[in-house]
Every structure is written in structure tokens, then in C-alpha cells.
Amino acid sequence: SSDGNKIALAEFSCEPNIYIWELDKKTPTMLSGHLKFPTSLSFNSNNSRLVSTAEDGRVYVWNLEENNHFFFERHSEKSNYDWVKFAVVSPNARSVVIAYADNHICFWDLQSDEKNIFKCDEINCASFNSDGTLVATGGEHGDVRIWNVATHTNTLLGQHDHRVKSVVFNDN
């Protein structure tokens, strides 16, 4: 977590559980719901939400303050390869960007529950800017794109010779 007081971990065992360790406690809190192995975890900036993704195609948003959750599961008639590579929650916890293994990106507005899914090149990483209005993505084929969260449009920022594995905004 951004305050350094919590660690989230996904266990790769018989049960696809997620654990939240608070550093001042000796026992973790277990979060269960995924049907297959979790693939990524992401806290929002004030650590009130945790987003988890898994090979089951589900994206969970865990409300850590109120001890509840909700999820989104994408079903595609054209693809049986709907597992989720990762998701990143915006700093203000209003939206989530989701990258699917079948080269789709989803913008999920958590306030309206609106979901917009687009075909794209394979995405390896994503990062929101500090106010949650832009998302930077890095791709398998070296592309770096900036997405407008409100309009879902993107601009190619640059092209590299090799895959991009990490992007992050510097808001200064």
C-alpha cells in the first residue's frame, strides 16, 4: 500500500486466495472469490480499495474499509481466452483499466458501472496519472500510448524496438 502499512499477496496454491497483511497484525485477512489463480493486485492511492484479477476472467474491487466487494466478468463469444493479465485502479478509486490476454483493454467507471472494451495491441503495463484522467500503457510490440479516460481515445507517444514492461507517470 502507498502508506507502507499493508501488503497484498496472491497465493498460488490449491485455493486462489488473496491475503492482506497489515504490518502491525500477526494474522492476515483472507479475501476469497476468484475461481482461478490471481494474476495481479493493485491498491488505490488511499488504500481503501484493492483490485484483483485472475485467470477466471474476473476483476474484483475489494472495499477494504467496509469489508465488501463486487466484480466484473467479461464474456466473449469470439474468445475463450478471457483471462485478465492485470488491472490498475485510479488514484481516486473512480475507474479501473483492465488488460486482457486476448488483446483488449477495458475502461470500467466504478461510479456508473459503465464498461468500455476496445481491441488493441497486447498491453503489458499501465499507469494512471495522479488525477486519474490519463492512462499510460506499454505494449508487447514496443508501443507507448496515452489514453484519455473520459473519451477512451489514445495517442501513440512512442515506439521502441523491444517490448515495454513498465510505465509510470511523473506528475511534477
Side-chain angles (χ1 to χ4, degrees), residues 39-94:
T39 54
S40 76
L41 303 170
S42 175
F43 282 106
N44 71 318
S45 62
N46 74 359
N47 310 309
S48 63
R49 304 273 193 282
L50 176 75
V51 173
S52 64
T53 65
E55 293 176 356
D56 60 10
R58 292 181 175 186
V59 178
Y60 276 83
V61 178
W62 307 90
N63 183 329
L64 301 177
E65 294 174 339
E66 298 176 12
N67 243 355
N68 61 22
H69 67 276
F70 52 94
F71 73 91
F72 165 54
E73 184 174 21
R74 175 180 160 238
H75 294 284
S76 171
E77 295 175 12
K78 297 180 181 178
S79 174
N80 59 1
Y81 197 56
D82 286 344
W83 70 273
V84 185
K85 291 177 70 172
F86 67 87
V88 179
V89 62
S90 65
N92 58 16
R94 291 184 180 162

Side-chain angles (χ1 to χ4, degrees), residues 78-113:
K78 297 180 181 178
S79 174
N80 59 1
Y81 197 56
D82 286 344
W83 70 273
V84 185
K85 291 177 70 172
F86 67 87
V88 179
V89 62
S90 65
N92 58 16
R94 291 184 180 162
S95 57
V96 175
V97 64
I98 305 163
Y100 289 93
D102 67 349
N103 300 346
H104 283 83
I105 187 170
C106 176
F107 291 89
W108 181 10
D109 182 320
L110 297 178
Q111 293 182 317
S112 68
D113 199 35

Side-chain angles (χ1 to χ4, degrees), residues 110-136:
L110 297 178
Q111 293 182 317
S112 68
D113 199 35
E114 182 180 352
K115 299 159 192 90
N116 292 284
I117 300 173
F118 303 94
K119 181 77 173 150
C120 61
D121 290 334
E122 186 174 356
I123 295 174
N124 293 331
C125 52
S127 177
F128 278 93
N129 68 340
S130 64
D131 65 5
T133 59
L134 299 174
V135 174

Side-chain angles (χ1 to χ4, degrees), residues 16 34 46 52 62 87 114 128 132 148 152 156 159-161:
H34 283 293
N46 74 359
S52 64
W62 307 90
E114 182 180 352
F128 278 93
N148 181 307
H152 311 116
L156 180 65
Q159 187 75 37
H160 296 271
D161 293 335

